Amino acid sequence: MFKKFDEKEHVTGVNNIKSSVQKGIRSKLLEQYPYLEGYLDKIVPKKDLRMAKCQDHIEIIVGKDGELLFFRQRDGPLFPSLKLLHKYPFMLPHMQVDKGAIRFVLSGANVMCPGLTSPGAKMTKAEADTIVAIMAENKQHALAVGVTKLSSEKILEVNKGIGIETIHYLNDGLWHMKPV
């Protein structure tokens, strides 16, 4: 989604978000990320919330200091930015890849099932279509944000094909985007 993303070319406008829309966003965030309940006022302030509209129907929610908080495509789920995920790592279930998969994930590749089932990899119990943090063996912070294509039980059973679709990763266009 953000592989060739360039803020000068892709961001078409930044607008303030109405308070009624902010309430909807906050309730959707609590529904999607129940662990954020005590932190939501700190992450998504009731004032100073803006929306950056981008090409390909991508919307980025921007905080008070221009910090990129969440993004979504069309009316899809809200994904946290990696910078926000590094501050609040508990907000998503973790899926850990082995050392061999790190360079591929950092280049934007999807995570294959064998990268999640080999020694050095760890999986959290998750259903299909769950937003997860992709962690790396022996690393503290997340490498990427992705969506599981199969449940964790199915990944163990099948052990081939795509296990997690990578949405946003370190050093992609969104990672390098300056505060808005």
Side-chain angles (χ1 to χ4, degrees):
M1 188 183 298
F2 294 104
K3 200 168 208 167
K4 292 184 169 53
F5 186 83
D6 181 270
E7 63 184 295
K8 291 180 181 123
E9 293 176 22
H10 290 83
V11 176
T12 56
V14 180
N15 301 321
N16 290 331
I17 300 176
K18 294 182 199 173
S19 60
S20 59
V21 176
Q22 283 185 28
K23 286 179 186 173
I25 289 171
R26 290 170 64 84
S27 65
K28 186 166 181 155
L29 285 172
L30 277 177
E31 180 185 310
Q32 266 187 266
Y33 307 109
Y35 298 120
L36 289 182
E37 191 164 358
Y39 301 90
L40 198 62
D41 289 333
K42 201 184 291 184
I43 297 171
V44 184
K46 290 185 178 170
K47 295 180 180 176
D48 302 325
L49 208 57
R50 294 177 293 161
M51 178 83 70
K53 301 267 186 178
C54 306
Q55 291 178 355
D56 300 326
H57 303 281
I58 296 172
E59 298 174 329
I60 303 171
I61 298 173
V62 181
K64 61 182 172 187
D65 298 331
E67 182 184 14
L68 310 174
L69 302 173
F70 294 91
F71 63 92
R72 69 177 170 197
Q73 189 167 20
R74 298 192 187 273
D75 287 330
L78 289 161
F79 295 96
S81 70
L82 272 171
K83 291 179 182 175
L84 181 68
L85 185 60
H86 289 173
K87 289 180 185 174
Y88 302 96
F90 55 85
M91 70 188 292
L92 292 177
H94 292 188
M95 296 289 212
Q96 181 175 303
V97 296
D98 60 1
K99 287 180 182 175
I102 295 172
R103 68 185 179 120
F104 296 108
V105 174
L106 289 176
S107 64
N110 292 328
V111 179
M112 307 306 278
C113 292
L116 293 166
T117 58
S118 64
K122 293 179 190 165
M123 282 195 293
T124 305
K125 189 171 183 162
E127 294 300 316
D129 298 320
T130 302
I131 300 169
V132 294
I134 303 171
M135 309 299 282
E137 184 179 4
N138 300 328
K139 303 293 180 204
Q140 180 183 357
H141 294 294
L143 298 176
V145 175
V147 178
T148 56
K149 291 286 129 197
L150 304 167
S151 68
S152 49
E153 291 89 16
K154 199 78 169 163
I155 289 171
L156 282 168
E157 183 184 314
V158 175
N159 203 21
K160 69 168 100 169
I162 297 172
I164 302 173
E165 180 186 353
T166 303
I167 304 294
H168 167 41
Y169 57 94
L170 287 174
N171 291 325
D172 67 0
L174 186 63
W175 175 262
H176 286 293
M177 191 170 165
K178 292 175 179 56
V180 178

